[in-house]
Amino acid sequence: MLRWLLRPFMAYLLRGHPRRVARAQIGIAGRWASTRQRERFRYDYHWGEGGAVAGHVLGTPFASTGSPVLLWLHGGAFVLPAMPRGHLSFAERLCDPLAASAFIPDYRLAPANPFPAALDDCEAAYRLLLDSGVPAERIVLGGESAGGNLLVSLLYRIRDRGMPMPACAIAVSPALDLGRLHGSPSRTANAGRDAMLPVASLAQALDWYLDGADSANPEISPLLGECRGLPPTLIVASEAELLRDDSVLFARRLAAAGVPTELALWPHLPHAFPLLEDWFPEASGARQQITTFMKERLQTGAGRSGERG
């Protein structure tokens, strides 16, 4: 189904006029998984020093209750919004075992809002959590695909601007080099194997997002950035996906910089497969792996907070 339906649809969408993209953005945002999910999540605007931030809220992420908070940066080639059946369902599954809250920022999308609008919104969301009294060591920062790109770029900003780092980072199939569609070996070797990503059509999405910006900027291609000082990071990807080597090369760079790093490569699965738990039973195992990593790092962060107190 992915190969015959979703990938052709993505290619059709990304080759189209921006009006076609706008219609798709509206349609995707309204596809809720269930009435219960619609009731659990609320869409709201929140104001902080960085301005207004909109997004989907699960639980009470802006209350300093001491409970964990997941800040998830959704993917979608920088042009598609959070999908209730995909991104919100995945956030629920991660949060429920940890009694955590979640915030999924509705960052501004290309082509109407190119770089750095999305990254600015993600930074504002993180600052809002801190300003609300949520300790950084209780925050898990995660993202998949294009959201994985925003995740690493945001970590650079957090470090360079002197903000406290989150307890850990979760990167699922991150897209980390936007300047070389042909670059790493997996982008050619897996071009026909990846059942989700249409490699040729992604060029249009990148043009919309970059809008003439230099793709060598580490906030655009974070694989080119300096990794020192980043938090413990778990990277989950598939051996068969187009962006496999973005994950492999990033894991090497993190390890070389002394960052505690775990890389989990799963065989035979498509891009961002952990979000497809209703389709692939292996996604449940990947989710449990992520949940365990989150739990361990949150416990470590809580211990360090107690020592400081």
Side-chain angles (χ1 to χ4, degrees):
M1 286 184 63
L2 288 173
R3 190 179 304 279
W4 295 342
L5 297 178
L6 184 58
R7 190 165 69 171
F9 169 75
M10 287 288 291
Y12 165 80
L13 177 65
L14 296 176
R15 287 197 301 263
H17 190 277
R19 286 195 296 269
R20 180 189 295 172
V21 176
R23 288 195 295 269
Q25 289 171 344
I26 294 171
I28 288 170
R31 294 183 178 274
W32 291 88
S34 64
T35 301
R36 175 181 174 276
Q37 185 189 57
R38 188 192 294 267
E39 292 172 348
R40 290 196 72 190
F41 281 92
R42 63 186 186 279
Y43 188 92
D44 206 352
Y45 288 80
H46 301 267
W47 278 262
E49 292 185 6
V53 183
H56 295 278
V57 177
L58 175 67
T60 56
F62 301 106
S64 54
T65 61
S67 298
V69 176
L70 172 67
L71 180 62
W72 191 265
L73 311 181
H74 69 83
F78 303 102
V79 301
L80 297 179
M83 303 178 186
R85 292 178 179 272
H87 303 107
L88 302 194
S89 294
F90 183 63
E92 278 187 287
R93 289 165 174 158
L94 289 181
C95 288
D96 285 350
L98 302 176
S101 298
F103 183 51
I104 298 90
D106 186 19
Y107 58 79
R108 287 169 291 171
L109 300 170
N113 297 283
F115 174 85
L119 182 55
D120 289 345
D121 290 347
C122 294
E123 180 185 357
Y126 188 75
R127 287 184 180 274
L128 183 59
L129 289 175
L130 297 178
D131 293 344
S132 299
V134 179
E137 59 267 17
R138 304 303 291 162
I139 300 174
V140 173
L141 185 55
E144 102 287 343
S145 194
N149 176 290
L150 295 170
L151 157 70
V152 182
S153 298
L154 177 55
L155 289 174
Y156 293 160
R157 283 195 177 185
I158 291 170
R159 178 197 61 203
D160 296 343
R161 298 179 183 182
M163 291 182 278
M165 279 289 176
C168 61
I170 310 293
V172 175
S173 299
L176 300 179
D177 185 353
L178 303 190
R180 299 174 182 83
L181 282 178
H182 64 285
S184 58
S186 67
R187 297 196 178 197
T188 52
N190 289 342
R193 297 178 65 197
D194 193 317
M196 183 177 293
L197 292 183
V199 60
S201 303
L202 289 176
Q204 178 62 73
L206 297 185
D207 285 346
W208 285 335
Y209 180 63
L210 296 178
D211 194 32
D214 183 3
S215 62
N217 182 343
E219 290 192 350
I220 293 175
S221 294
L223 192 59
L224 307 180
E226 171 57 56
C227 295
R228 58 176 176 77
L230 299 191
T233 301
L234 170 64
I235 307 167
V236 181
S238 168
E239 292 180 348
E241 70 169 294
L242 196 72
L243 300 180
R244 177 199 66 203
D245 289 346
D246 290 44
S247 294
V248 173
L249 294 171
F250 184 52
R252 290 178 185 169
R253 300 215 57 226
L254 286 171
V259 177
T261 307
E262 294 184 25
L263 172 63
L265 285 180
W266 290 67
H268 310 306
L269 292 160
H271 174 72
F273 74 92
L275 278 70
L276 305 175
E277 194 163 334
D278 292 337
W279 290 13
F280 298 102
E282 297 92 338
S284 174
R287 174 178 55 79
Q288 292 170 15
Q289 189 175 36
I290 294 170
T291 301
T292 298
F293 181 85
M294 290 168 56
K295 184 176 181 180
E296 291 173 350
R297 293 301 171 176
L298 286 165
Q299 289 174 342
T300 300
R304 289 175 180 169
S305 177
E307 291 171 6
R308 287 198 301 271

